[in-house]
Amino acid sequence: MDLSIIVPVYNVEQHLGRCLDSILDQECDGFELIAVDDGSTDGSREILRAYQDRDSRLVVLEHDRNRKLSVARTTGMSAARGRYVMHVDSDDWLMPGSLVTLLGKLQSATSDVIMFNHIKAWPTGRMVAENAIESEQVVDLEPKFLPSFVKSCWDKVVRRDLLEDMVYHRVALNHSEDFILGLEVFIRARSVLVLPDALYVYFQNPASLTRTVTEEES
């Protein structure tokens, strides 16, 4: 299997179906989808179970209580079987054809990481492409790439063996957890294939965990 897609889920019933549909409706095979319910108290868990009943590519893992976002991602990574791992937040979604593009690259990939462009979307329906990558090329990971590399974990796929035995697996955070994950991958990786394609849609959700710093973490 080429790709494991990990979706952490916590109280996101309003957006969850859109996210899952955008992945499972892709016209390709060669991937698994691992959704980790992190102790949701709304209808998210029931939505996941219903999707699992009708699509065997979806694996649902459940925490007995809320353990925070980094722990949910770690649970998913521990269960992953693909050569590469991709993170998708449960209020975001993939563009049509995204996985066809990615899986085509992964079949001959020699780079440790593949990065791609994304689109920002707002509840109003406004969408803006963020085209930081202008052309396809393989580049070495030099210090000048660090700021763009660590800003999120969903704009890249990473070779799974780079994700083993990380400090990230021993922390429990909701906010800025992707910085830690990105930094550890940056230190371990040697080269990255960058793609100019906008494959991912980042939803500007004011209620998302990454936009809400709890009193405990502030």
Side-chain angles (χ1 to χ4, degrees), residues 49-124:
R49 290 173 177 173
Y51 271 80
Q52 185 180 39
D53 286 343
R54 60 178 184 259
D55 198 314
S56 60
R57 292 173 299 176
L58 173 60
V59 177
V60 177
L61 305 177
E62 299 177 354
H63 288 169
D64 58 351
R65 58 182 174 82
N66 181 253
R67 298 175 182 269
K68 297 190 177 179
L69 180 55
S70 62
V71 181
R73 291 199 202 279
T74 292
T75 295
M77 285 187 277
S78 298
R81 298 176 296 154
R83 292 190 302 116
Y84 285 78
V85 170
M86 178 183 189
H87 294 277
V88 176
D89 287 347
S90 53
D91 51 0
D92 297 341
W93 64 95
L94 300 185
M95 290 293 291
S98 294
L99 293 187
V100 173
T101 297
L102 276 177
L103 290 168
K105 299 299 180 182
L106 289 179
Q107 289 175 1
S108 58
T110 57
S111 296
D112 295 324
V113 180
I114 298 178
M115 292 186 68
F116 41 83
N117 284 323
H118 68 278
I119 297 169
K120 285 185 177 179
W122 283 262
T124 59

Coordinates of all heavy atoms in Angstrom, one line a residue, residues 49-124:
R49 N -18.8 5.6 12.0 CA -19.2 4.2 12.0 C -20.1 3.9 10.8 O -20.0 2.9 10.2 CB -19.9 3.9 13.3 CG -19.0 3.8 14.5 CD -19.8 3.7 15.8 NE -18.9 3.5 16.9 CZ -19.4 3.5 18.2 NH1 -20.7 3.6 18.5 NH2 -18.5 3.4 19.2
A50 N -20.9 4.9 10.4 CA -21.8 4.7 9.2 C -20.9 4.6 8.0 O -21.2 3.8 7.1 CB -22.8 5.8 9.1
Y51 N -19.9 5.5 7.8 CA -19.1 5.4 6.7 C -18.2 4.2 6.7 O -18.0 3.6 5.6 CB -18.1 6.7 6.7 CG -18.7 7.9 6.0 CD1 -19.6 8.7 6.6 CD2 -18.3 8.2 4.7 CE1 -20.1 9.8 6.0 CE2 -18.8 9.3 4.1 CZ -19.7 10.2 4.7 OH -20.1 11.3 4.1
Q52 N -17.8 3.7 7.8 CA -17.0 2.5 7.9 C -17.8 1.3 7.4 O -17.3 0.4 6.8 CB -16.5 2.3 9.3 CG -15.5 1.1 9.5 CD -15.1 0.9 10.9 OE1 -15.8 1.1 11.8 NE2 -13.8 0.6 11.1
D53 N -19.1 1.3 7.7 CA -20.0 0.1 7.4 C -20.1 0.0 5.8 O -20.3 -1.1 5.3 CB -21.4 0.3 8.0 CG -21.4 0.1 9.5 OD1 -20.4 -0.6 10.0 OD2 -22.4 0.5 10.1
R54 N -19.9 1.1 5.1 CA -20.1 1.0 3.7 C -18.8 1.2 2.8 O -18.9 1.1 1.6 CB -21.1 2.0 3.2 CG -20.8 3.5 3.5 CD -21.9 4.4 2.9 NE -21.7 5.8 3.0 CZ -22.2 6.5 3.9 NH1 -23.0 6.0 4.8 NH2 -21.9 7.8 4.0
D55 N -17.7 1.3 3.5 CA -16.4 1.4 2.7 C -15.3 0.8 3.6 O -14.9 1.4 4.6 CB -16.1 2.9 2.4 CG -15.1 3.0 1.3 OD1 -14.1 2.3 1.3 OD2 -15.3 3.9 0.4
S56 N -14.8 -0.3 3.1 CA -13.7 -1.0 3.8 C -12.4 -0.3 3.9 O -11.5 -0.7 4.6 CB -13.6 -2.4 3.2 OG -13.1 -2.3 1.9
R57 N -12.2 0.7 3.0 CA -11.0 1.5 3.1 C -10.8 2.3 4.3 O -9.7 2.8 4.6 CB -10.8 2.3 1.8 CG -10.6 1.6 0.5 CD -10.7 2.5 -0.7 NE -12.0 3.2 -0.8 CZ -12.3 4.1 -1.7 NH1 -11.4 4.4 -2.5 NH2 -13.5 4.6 -1.7
L58 N -12.0 2.6 5.0 CA -12.0 3.4 6.2 C -11.8 2.6 7.4 O -12.6 1.6 7.7 CB -13.3 4.2 6.3 CG -13.5 5.0 7.6 CD1 -12.4 6.0 7.8 CD2 -14.9 5.7 7.6
V59 N -10.8 2.9 8.2 CA -10.5 2.3 9.5 C -10.8 3.3 10.6 O -10.3 4.4 10.5 CB -9.1 1.8 9.7 CG1 -8.8 1.2 11.1 CG2 -8.8 0.7 8.6
V60 N -11.7 3.0 11.5 CA -12.1 3.9 12.6 C -11.5 3.5 13.9 O -11.7 2.4 14.3 CB -13.6 4.1 12.7 CG1 -14.0 5.0 13.9 CG2 -14.2 4.6 11.4
L61 N -10.7 4.3 14.5 CA -10.1 4.1 15.8 C -10.7 5.1 16.8 O -11.0 6.2 16.4 CB -8.6 4.3 15.8 CG -7.9 3.4 14.7 CD1 -6.4 3.7 14.7 CD2 -8.1 1.9 15.0
E62 N -11.0 4.7 18.0 CA -11.7 5.5 19.0 C -10.9 5.6 20.3 O -10.5 4.6 20.9 CB -13.1 4.9 19.2 CG -13.9 4.8 18.0 CD -15.3 4.2 18.3 OE1 -15.5 3.7 19.4 OE2 -16.1 4.1 17.3
H63 N -10.8 6.9 20.8 CA -10.3 7.1 22.1 C -11.4 7.2 23.1 O -12.5 7.7 22.8 CB -9.5 8.5 22.2 CG -8.2 8.4 21.4 ND1 -7.5 9.6 21.2 CD2 -7.5 7.4 20.9 CE1 -6.4 9.3 20.6 NE2 -6.3 8.0 20.4
D64 N -11.2 6.7 24.3 CA -12.3 6.6 25.3 C -12.5 8.0 25.9 O -13.6 8.3 26.5 CB -11.9 5.7 26.4 CG -10.6 6.0 27.1 OD1 -9.9 6.8 26.6 OD2 -10.3 5.3 28.1
R65 N -11.6 8.9 25.7 CA -11.8 10.3 26.1 C -10.9 11.2 25.2 O -10.1 10.7 24.5 CB -11.4 10.5 27.6 CG -9.9 10.1 27.9 CD -9.6 10.2 29.3 NE -8.2 9.7 29.6 CZ -7.1 10.4 29.4 NH1 -7.2 11.6 29.0 NH2 -5.9 9.8 29.7
N66 N -11.1 12.5 25.4 CA -10.3 13.4 24.6 C -8.9 13.5 25.0 O -8.6 13.8 26.2 CB -10.9 14.8 24.6 CG -10.2 15.8 23.8 OD1 -9.4 16.7 24.3 ND2 -10.3 15.7 22.5
R67 N -8.0 13.1 24.1 CA -6.5 13.1 24.5 C -5.7 14.1 23.8 O -4.5 14.1 23.9 CB -6.0 11.7 24.2 CG -6.7 10.6 25.0 CD -6.2 9.2 24.5 NE -6.9 8.1 25.3 CZ -6.5 7.6 26.4 NH1 -5.4 8.1 27.0 NH2 -7.2 6.7 27.0
K68 N -6.3 15.0 23.0 CA -5.7 16.1 22.3 C -5.2 15.6 20.9 O -4.9 14.5 20.6 CB -4.6 16.8 23.1 CG -5.2 17.4 24.4 CD -4.2 18.3 25.0 CE -4.8 19.0 26.3 NZ -3.9 19.9 27.0
L69 N -5.1 16.6 20.1 CA -4.8 16.4 18.6 C -3.6 15.6 18.3 O -3.6 14.7 17.5 CB -4.8 17.8 17.9 CG -4.6 17.8 16.4 CD1 -5.6 17.0 15.7 CD2 -4.6 19.3 15.9
S70 N -2.5 16.0 19.0 CA -1.2 15.3 18.7 C -1.3 13.8 19.0 O -0.7 12.9 18.3 CB 0.0 15.9 19.4 OG -0.2 15.8 20.8
V71 N -2.1 13.4 20.1 CA -2.2 12.0 20.4 C -3.1 11.3 19.4 O -2.8 10.2 19.0 CB -2.8 11.9 21.8 CG1 -3.0 10.4 22.2 CG2 -2.0 12.6 22.9
A72 N -4.1 12.0 18.9 CA -4.9 11.4 17.8 C -4.1 11.1 16.6 O -4.2 10.1 16.0 CB -6.1 12.3 17.5
R73 N -3.3 12.1 16.2 CA -2.4 11.9 15.0 C -1.5 10.7 15.3 O -1.3 9.8 14.4 CB -1.6 13.1 14.7 CG -2.4 14.3 14.2 CD -1.5 15.3 13.5 NE -2.1 16.6 13.4 CZ -3.0 17.1 12.6 NH1 -3.5 16.2 11.7 NH2 -3.4 18.3 12.6
T74 N -0.9 10.6 16.5 CA 0.0 9.5 16.8 C -0.7 8.2 16.8 O -0.1 7.2 16.2 CB 0.6 9.7 18.2 OG1 1.5 10.9 18.2 CG2 1.4 8.5 18.7
T75 N -1.9 8.1 17.3 CA -2.7 6.9 17.2 C -2.9 6.4 15.7 O -2.7 5.2 15.4 CB -4.1 7.0 17.8 OG1 -3.9 7.3 19.2 CG2 -4.9 5.8 17.6
G76 N -3.2 7.4 14.9 CA -3.3 7.1 13.4 C -2.0 6.6 12.8 O -1.9 5.6 12.0
M77 N -0.9 7.3 13.1 CA 0.4 7.0 12.5 C 0.8 5.6 13.0 O 1.5 4.8 12.2 CB 1.4 8.0 12.9 CG 1.3 9.3 12.1 SD 2.7 10.5 12.4 CE 2.1 11.3 13.9
S78 N 0.5 5.2 14.2 CA 0.9 3.9 14.8 C 0.2 2.8 14.0 O 0.7 1.7 13.9 CB 0.6 3.8 16.3 OG 1.4 4.8 17.0
A79 N -1.0 3.1 13.5 CA -1.8 2.0 12.8 C -1.5 2.0 11.3 O -2.0 1.1 10.6 CB -3.3 2.3 13.1
A80 N -0.8 3.0 10.8 CA -0.7 3.2 9.4 C 0.2 2.0 8.8 O 1.1 1.6 9.3 CB 0.0 4.5 9.1
R81 N -0.2 1.6 7.5 CA 0.5 0.6 6.8 C 1.1 1.0 5.5 O 1.9 0.3 4.9 CB -0.5 -0.6 6.5 CG -1.1 -1.3 7.8 CD -2.1 -2.3 7.3 NE -3.2 -1.7 6.6 CZ -4.0 -2.3 5.7 NH1 -3.7 -3.6 5.4 NH2 -5.0 -1.7 5.2
G82 N 0.8 2.2 5.1 CA 1.3 2.7 3.8 C 2.8 3.1 3.9 O 3.3 3.3 4.9
R83 N 3.4 3.2 2.7 CA 4.8 3.6 2.6 C 4.9 5.1 3.0 O 6.0 5.5 3.5 CB 5.4 3.4 1.2 CG 5.5 1.9 0.9 CD 6.3 1.8 -0.4 NE 5.7 2.5 -1.5 CZ 6.2 3.6 -2.2 NH1 7.4 4.0 -1.8 NH2 5.6 4.2 -3.2
Y84 N 3.9 5.8 2.7 CA 3.9 7.3 3.0 C 2.6 7.6 3.8 O 1.6 6.8 3.8 CB 3.8 8.1 1.7 CG 5.2 8.2 1.0 CD1 5.6 7.1 0.2 CD2 6.0 9.3 1.1 CE1 6.8 7.2 -0.4 CE2 7.2 9.3 0.5 CZ 7.6 8.3 -0.3 OH 8.8 8.4 -0.9
V85 N 2.7 8.7 4.6 CA 1.6 9.1 5.5 C 1.2 10.5 5.1 O 2.1 11.4 4.9 CB 2.0 9.0 7.0 CG1 1.0 9.7 7.9 CG2 2.2 7.5 7.4
M86 N -0.1 10.7 5.1 CA -0.7 12.1 4.8 C -1.7 12.4 5.9 O -2.4 11.6 6.4 CB -1.4 12.1 3.5 CG -2.0 13.4 3.1 SD -2.9 13.2 1.5 CE -3.3 14.9 1.2
H87 N -1.7 13.7 6.4 CA -2.6 14.1 7.4 C -3.6 15.0 6.7 O -3.3 15.9 6.0 CB -1.9 14.9 8.5 CG -1.0 14.0 9.4 ND1 -1.5 13.3 10.4 CD2 0.3 13.8 9.3 CE1 -0.5 12.6 10.9 NE2 0.6 12.9 10.3
V88 N -4.9 14.8 7.1 CA -6.0 15.7 6.6 C -6.8 16.0 7.8 O -7.3 15.2 8.5 CB -6.9 14.9 5.5 CG1 -8.1 15.8 5.1 CG2 -6.1 14.5 4.3
D89 N -7.0 17.3 8.1 CA -7.8 17.8 9.2 C -9.3 17.6 8.8 O -9.7 17.7 7.7 CB -7.5 19.2 9.5 CG -6.2 19.4 10.2 OD1 -5.6 18.4 10.7 OD2 -5.7 20.5 10.3
S90 N -10.1 17.3 9.8 CA -11.5 16.8 9.6 C -12.4 17.9 9.1 O -13.5 17.6 8.7 CB -12.0 16.2 10.8 OG -11.9 17.0 11.9
D91 N -12.0 19.2 9.1 CA -12.9 20.2 8.6 C -12.3 20.7 7.2 O -12.9 21.6 6.6 CB -13.0 21.4 9.5 CG -11.7 21.9 10.1 OD1 -10.6 21.4 9.7 OD2 -11.7 22.9 10.9
D92 N -11.2 20.1 6.7 CA -10.7 20.4 5.4 C -11.1 19.3 4.4 O -11.8 18.3 4.8 CB -9.1 20.4 5.5 CG -8.6 21.5 6.4 OD1 -9.4 22.5 6.7 OD2 -7.5 21.4 6.9
W93 N -10.6 19.4 3.2 CA -11.0 18.4 2.2 C -9.9 18.4 1.1 O -9.1 19.3 0.9 CB -12.4 18.6 1.6 CG -12.7 19.8 0.8 CD1 -12.6 20.0 -0.5 CD2 -13.1 21.1 1.4 NE1 -13.0 21.3 -0.9 CE2 -13.3 22.0 0.3 CE3 -13.3 21.6 2.7 CZ2 -13.7 23.3 0.4 CZ3 -13.7 22.9 2.8 CH2 -13.9 23.8 1.7
L94 N -10.0 17.3 0.3 CA -9.1 17.2 -0.9 C -9.8 17.6 -2.2 O -11.0 17.4 -2.3 CB -8.6 15.7 -1.0 CG -7.8 15.1 0.2 CD1 -7.3 13.7 -0.2 CD2 -6.7 16.0 0.6
M95 N -9.0 18.2 -3.1 CA -9.5 18.5 -4.4 C -9.7 17.2 -5.2 O -9.0 16.2 -5.0 CB -8.6 19.4 -5.1 CG -8.5 20.8 -4.5 SD -10.0 21.7 -4.7 CE -10.0 22.0 -6.5
P96 N -10.7 17.2 -6.1 CA -10.9 16.0 -7.0 C -9.6 15.8 -7.8 O -9.0 16.7 -8.3 CB -12.0 16.5 -7.9 CG -12.8 17.5 -7.1 CD -11.8 18.2 -6.3
G97 N -9.2 14.5 -7.8 CA -8.0 14.1 -8.6 C -6.7 14.2 -7.8 O -5.7 13.8 -8.3
S98 N -6.8 14.7 -6.5 CA -5.6 14.9 -5.7 C -4.9 13.6 -5.5 O -3.6 13.5 -5.6 CB -6.0 15.5 -4.3 OG -6.5 16.8 -4.5
L99 N -5.6 12.5 -5.2 CA -4.9 11.3 -4.9 C -4.4 10.6 -6.1 O -3.4 9.9 -6.1 CB -5.9 10.3 -4.1 CG -6.2 10.8 -2.7 CD1 -7.0 9.7 -1.9 CD2 -5.0 11.2 -1.9
V100 N -5.1 10.8 -7.2 CA -4.5 10.3 -8.5 C -3.1 10.9 -8.8 O -2.2 10.2 -9.1 CB -5.5 10.6 -9.7 CG1 -4.8 10.2 -11.0 CG2 -6.8 9.8 -9.5
T101 N -3.0 12.2 -8.5 CA -1.8 12.9 -8.7 C -0.7 12.4 -7.7 O 0.4 12.0 -8.1 CB -2.0 14.4 -8.5 OG1 -2.8 14.9 -9.6 CG2 -0.6 15.1 -8.6
L102 N -1.1 12.3 -6.5 CA -0.1 11.9 -5.4 C 0.3 10.5 -5.6 O 1.5 10.1 -5.5 CB -0.7 12.1 -4.0 CG -0.6 13.5 -3.4 CD1 -1.3 13.5 -2.1 CD2 0.8 13.9 -3.3
L103 N -0.6 9.6 -5.8 CA -0.3 8.2 -5.9 C 0.6 7.9 -7.2 O 1.4 7.0 -7.2 CB -1.5 7.3 -5.9 CG -2.3 7.2 -4.6 CD1 -3.6 6.6 -4.7 CD2 -1.5 6.4 -3.6
G104 N 0.3 8.7 -8.2 CA 1.2 8.5 -9.4 C 2.6 8.9 -9.1 O 3.5 8.3 -9.6
K105 N 2.8 9.9 -8.3 CA 4.2 10.3 -7.9 C 4.8 9.3 -7.0 O 6.0 9.0 -7.0 CB 4.1 11.7 -7.3 CG 3.6 12.8 -8.2 CD 4.5 13.0 -9.4 CE 3.9 14.1 -10.3 NZ 4.7 14.3 -11.5
L106 N 4.0 8.8 -6.0 CA 4.5 7.9 -5.0 C 5.0 6.6 -5.6 O 5.9 6.0 -5.1 CB 3.4 7.6 -4.0 CG 3.0 8.7 -3.0 CD1 1.9 8.3 -2.1 CD2 4.2 9.2 -2.2
Q107 N 4.5 6.1 -6.7 CA 4.9 4.9 -7.3 C 6.3 4.9 -7.7 O 7.0 3.8 -7.8 CB 3.9 4.5 -8.5 CG 2.5 4.1 -8.0 CD 1.6 3.9 -9.2 OE1 2.0 4.0 -10.4 NE2 0.4 3.6 -8.9
S108 N 6.9 6.1 -8.0 CA 8.3 6.1 -8.4 C 9.1 7.1 -7.5 O 10.2 7.5 -7.9 CB 8.4 6.6 -9.9 OG 7.7 7.9 -10.1
A109 N 8.5 7.4 -6.4 CA 9.1 8.4 -5.5 C 10.4 7.9 -4.9 O 10.4 6.8 -4.4 CB 8.1 8.9 -4.5
T110 N 11.4 8.7 -4.9 CA 12.6 8.5 -4.1 C 12.8 9.5 -3.0 O 13.7 9.3 -2.2 CB 13.8 8.4 -5.0 OG1 13.9 9.7 -5.7 CG2 13.7 7.3 -6.1
S111 N 12.1 10.6 -3.0 CA 12.2 11.6 -2.0 C 11.5 11.2 -0.7 O 10.6 10.4 -0.7 CB 11.6 12.9 -2.5 OG 12.3 13.4 -3.6
D112 N 12.0 11.7 0.4 CA 11.4 11.4 1.7 C 10.1 12.1 1.9 O 9.2 11.6 2.6 CB 12.4 11.9 2.8 CG 13.7 11.1 2.8 OD1 13.6 9.9 2.5 OD2 14.7 11.7 3.1
V113 N 9.9 13.2 1.2 CA 8.7 14.1 1.4 C 8.2 14.6 0.1 O 9.0 14.8 -0.8 CB 8.9 15.3 2.4 CG1 7.7 16.1 2.5 CG2 9.5 14.8 3.7
I114 N 6.9 14.7 -0.1 CA 6.3 15.3 -1.2 C 5.4 16.5 -0.7 O 4.5 16.2 0.1 CB 5.4 14.4 -2.1 CG1 6.3 13.3 -2.7 CG2 4.8 15.2 -3.2 CD1 5.5 12.3 -3.5
M115 N 5.7 17.7 -1.1 CA 4.9 18.9 -0.7 C 4.1 19.4 -1.9 O 4.5 19.2 -3.1 CB 5.8 20.0 -0.2 CG 6.4 19.6 1.1 SD 7.4 21.0 1.8 CE 6.0 22.1 2.3
F116 N 3.0 20.1 -1.6 CA 2.1 20.6 -2.7 C 1.4 21.9 -2.3 O 1.4 22.2 -1.1 CB 1.1 19.5 -3.1 CG 0.5 18.8 -1.9 CD1 -0.5 19.4 -1.2 CD2 1.0 17.6 -1.5 CE1 -1.1 18.7 0.0 CE2 0.5 16.9 -0.4 CZ -0.5 17.5 0.3
N117 N 0.9 22.6 -3.2 CA 0.1 23.8 -2.9 C -1.2 23.5 -2.4 O -1.7 22.3 -2.4 CB 0.0 24.6 -4.2 CG 1.3 25.3 -4.6 OD1 2.0 25.8 -3.7 ND2 1.5 25.4 -5.9
H118 N -1.9 24.5 -1.8 CA -3.2 24.3 -1.3 C -4.1 25.5 -1.6 O -3.6 26.6 -2.1 CB -3.1 24.1 0.2 CG -2.7 25.3 1.0 ND1 -1.3 25.6 1.1 CD2 -3.4 26.3 1.7 CE1 -1.2 26.7 1.9 NE2 -2.4 27.2 2.2
I119 N -5.4 25.4 -1.2 CA -6.4 26.5 -1.4 C -7.0 26.8 0.0 O -7.3 25.9 0.7 CB -7.5 26.0 -2.4 CG1 -6.9 25.7 -3.8 CG2 -8.6 27.0 -2.4 CD1 -7.9 25.0 -4.7
K120 N -7.1 28.1 0.2 CA -7.8 28.5 1.4 C -9.3 28.7 1.1 O -9.6 29.3 0.1 CB -7.2 29.8 2.0 CG -5.8 29.6 2.7 CD -5.4 30.9 3.3 CE -4.1 30.8 4.1 NZ -3.6 32.0 4.7
A121 N -10.1 28.2 2.0 CA -11.6 28.4 1.8 C -12.2 29.0 3.1 O -11.8 28.7 4.2 CB -12.2 27.1 1.5
W122 N -13.2 29.8 2.9 CA -13.9 30.5 4.0 C -15.4 30.0 4.0 O -15.9 29.6 3.0 CB -13.9 32.0 3.8 CG -12.5 32.6 4.2 CD1 -12.2 33.2 5.4 CD2 -11.4 32.7 3.4 NE1 -10.9 33.6 5.4 CE2 -10.4 33.3 4.1 CE3 -11.1 32.3 2.1 CZ2 -9.1 33.6 3.6 CZ3 -9.8 32.5 1.6 CH2 -8.8 33.1 2.3
P123 N -16.0 30.1 5.2 CA -17.5 29.8 5.3 C -18.3 30.5 4.3 O -19.4 30.0 3.9 CB -17.8 30.1 6.7 CG -16.5 30.0 7.5 CD -15.5 30.5 6.5
T124 N -17.9 31.7 3.8 CA -18.7 32.5 2.9 C -18.7 31.8 1.5 O -19.4 32.3 0.6 CB -18.1 33.9 2.8 OG1 -16.8 33.8 2.4 CG2 -18.2 34.6 4.1

